[in-house]
Amino acid sequence: MQKIFKLSQPAVEALAAKYGTPLLVLSRDQIRYNYNFLAEHLPGVHIYYAMKANPDPRIIDELAGLGACFDVASDGEILALAQMGIAPERIVYANPVKTASGLAAARQTGVRKFTFDSESEIYKMAKAVPGGTVLLRVRVDNPHALVDLNKKFGAHPDEALRLLTIAREQGLDVAGLCFHVGSQSTDAGAYVDALAACRRIFDAAAKEGFNLRILDIGGGFPIPAIGMKVDAAAMMGQIRTALAQYFPNTEIWAEPGRFICGTAVNLITRVIGVQQRNGQQWYFLDEGLYGTFSGIIFDHWDFELETFKSEPKIPATFAGPSCDSLDVLFRDKLTPPLAMDDLILVPSCGSYTSASATVFNGFAKAPIIVWEEVKSEIANLANAC
Ligand SMILES: *Cc1c(COP(=O)(O)O)cnc(C)c1O
């Protein structure tokens, strides 16, 4: 079974008393555990952390120390990594449609690896980063992903050879293919299908004189979630088997985001309003849809609320603190009855949460503290109360 970072009730109380709420608590140990889990179950695969999932510098620093590489999508992400001293060889600029400022940042910092899925992008790259190493992103259909990225990205496999040929004519280093099966993909089938499709393209390309040497299998690896059975080890085992079958001699990359950071952060939030409206129970929290819970909108995520209570559950509406009517988190969410000032722990809150939070309406983003830096002090406080 995968280990998951989840604070105890005494720790939640002590942390809230010391640091206030809302509060995000990051476990660097869990980041390391997740990275090592992936590295063990997909041995030999080069891991590029997709930093859009959570760009916190402590996460980047932990992963950098473990030897990870990084997947970026913008000038901001490239410059942030450069500033942290991450070598450009460890970075892939994996946005199939890049901005002028992103390409300028790549040139300035020495980032040389890119992905693309269209003809127009080839000319942009050939001009801005001549001779750059490029992977063609191919479209893979996967109705089982929570977030389907293939509606926006990926060339149709029928178009692959034409695009690879143009990229070669434009002087780019045509190195291979990449795909993304969609985020929170809960079975290996989509990966295995994609690997078979990519094998066909590799073989067809070989007949045209290409020597494709890299396959990037993207992200999408799942974390445990409400109502979803996830067996990441079994899933990665199936992917490993398919890789050995289809790509025994190819350099393989993966771009996990959620899997690395999702289970490594806990949110502590507090009940700041309790109301009955039209026979419905409402609870207002000090963290909302414009903050950490932005994942409800952008990531279609259903968050677990740990209340540390055992009373029979009632359906309730949960709202955030802003004055916007959109700021409703859950309707008819089953919960033990809550009272003013109750603390709620939200585990597995690390991916597509704080990364997309805003300061709308003047609510600051929840601060993020590192568990391993405070836990001895918190253990003392928790024992004292
Ligand atoms: C978002 C993204 C990822 C990470 O996806 P997860 O589902 O979080 O693992 C990887 N690669 C690319 C190109 C992405 O856009």
Side-chain angles (χ1 to χ4, degrees):
M1 258 319 262
Q2 255 168 290
K3 188 183 78 170
I4 279 176
F5 172 56
K6 191 168 176 184
L7 292 163
S8 68
Q9 183 175 14
V12 167
E13 284 166 3
L15 284 163
K18 174 131 206 264
Y19 296 98
T21 59
L23 180 70
L24 289 165
V25 187
L26 160 69
S27 167
R28 290 179 66 138
D29 287 353
Q30 182 73 45
I31 294 287
R32 194 161 62 245
Y33 174 89
N34 292 342
Y35 177 87
N36 287 334
F37 188 97
L38 202 57
E40 266 168 45
H41 287 85
L42 292 175
V45 172
H46 300 239
I47 298 175
Y48 286 75
Y49 172 59
M51 69 182 284
K52 80 170 189 284
N54 191 328
D56 188 281
R58 279 83 50 99
I59 297 178
I60 304 298
D61 183 64
E62 187 66 35
L63 292 168
L66 292 166
C69 298
F70 299 90
D71 160 350
V72 303
S74 65
D75 51 334
E77 290 184 347
I78 291 172
L79 296 175
L81 291 183
Q83 213 153 44
M84 291 187 69
I86 308 291
E89 295 75 29
R90 293 169 75 178
I91 298 173
V92 59
Y93 185 178
N95 190 332
V97 183
K98 289 164 277 299
T99 59
S101 54
L103 285 165
R107 185 162 58 188
Q108 180 201 327
T109 58
V111 171
R112 297 286 295 162
K113 297 185 277 199
F114 308 91
T115 70
F116 71 104
D117 64 2
S118 67
E119 186 173 339
S120 61
E121 195 71 6
I122 295 171
Y123 305 123
K124 274 162 62 182
M125 295 188 297
K127 189 153 175 240
V129 285
T133 294
V134 299
L135 306 179
L136 174 67
R137 171 108 168 236
V138 292
R139 190 177 129 185
V140 291
D141 294 314
N142 178 17
H144 300 301
L146 179 67
V147 182
D148 184 358
L149 290 160
N150 291 289
K151 293 196 172 81
K152 182 170 175 188
F153 294 118
H156 192 279
D158 292 348
E159 263 200 297
L161 270 187
R162 188 179 72 84
L163 291 169
L164 294 175
T165 304
I166 298 170
R168 180 168 63 182
E169 285 164 5
Q170 290 297 311
L172 294 165
D173 168 32
V174 179
L177 304 178
C178 62
F179 61 80
H180 194 304
V181 297
S183 206
Q184 184 73 6
S185 197
T186 48
D187 75 55
Y191 291 90
V192 175
D193 291 349
L195 290 174
C198 287
R199 181 72 258 169
R200 290 192 288 274
I201 299 172
F202 264 59
D203 291 343
K207 291 202 185 97
E208 300 295 322
F210 287 96
N211 183 18
L212 301 184
R213 63 184 192 275
I214 299 170
L215 177 68
D216 175 353
I217 65 172
F221 308 98
I223 62 171
I226 294 177
M228 272 186 217
K229 277 254 176 296
V230 166
D231 185 346
M235 203 176 141
M236 289 171 196
Q238 287 169 270
I239 296 169
R240 191 168 67 232
T241 304
L243 281 172
Q245 179 191 345
Y246 292 117
F247 290 98
N249 302 312
T250 301
E251 179 173 320
I252 307 295
W253 302 356
E255 298 171 347
R258 184 191 309 279
F259 188 83
I260 298 288
C261 60
T263 55
V265 178
N266 285 188
L267 167 69
I268 303 171
T269 178
R270 187 188 295 275
V271 177
I272 57 167
V274 178
Q275 301 183 11
Q276 289 275 344
R277 282 201 204 151
N278 308 325
Q280 257 283 325
Q281 184 64 54
W282 280 63
Y283 297 120
F284 286 74
L285 306 182
D286 62 6
E287 182 65 314
L289 211 56
Y290 290 92
T292 306
F293 288 114
S294 56
I296 292 172
I297 298 246
F298 296 122
D299 191 37
H300 316 291
W301 198 257
D302 187 13
F303 291 87
E304 176 189 342
L305 303 182
E306 173 58 76
T307 60
F308 305 107
K309 292 176 187 287
S310 52
E311 287 85 351
K313 292 186 175 177
I314 57 164
T317 300
F318 286 82
S322 77
C323 276
D324 188 282
S325 64
L326 178 74
D327 195 2
V328 171
L329 310 177
F330 313 106
R331 295 184 191 276
D332 291 323
K333 181 100 162 164
L334 290 174
T335 175
L338 297 168
M340 279 296 279
D341 287 324
D342 277 353
L343 293 171
I344 296 174
L345 170 69
V346 188
S348 294
C349 220
S351 52
Y352 307 111
T353 47
S354 46
S356 51
T358 73
V359 293
F360 173 64
N361 219 178
F363 294 95
K365 293 186 194 181
I368 308 176
I369 62 168
V370 173
W371 173 238
E372 288 77 20
E373 289 171 8
V374 302
K375 74 177 181 189
S376 58
E377 177 197 4
I378 290 299
N380 292 337
L381 285 175
N383 286 335
C385 43

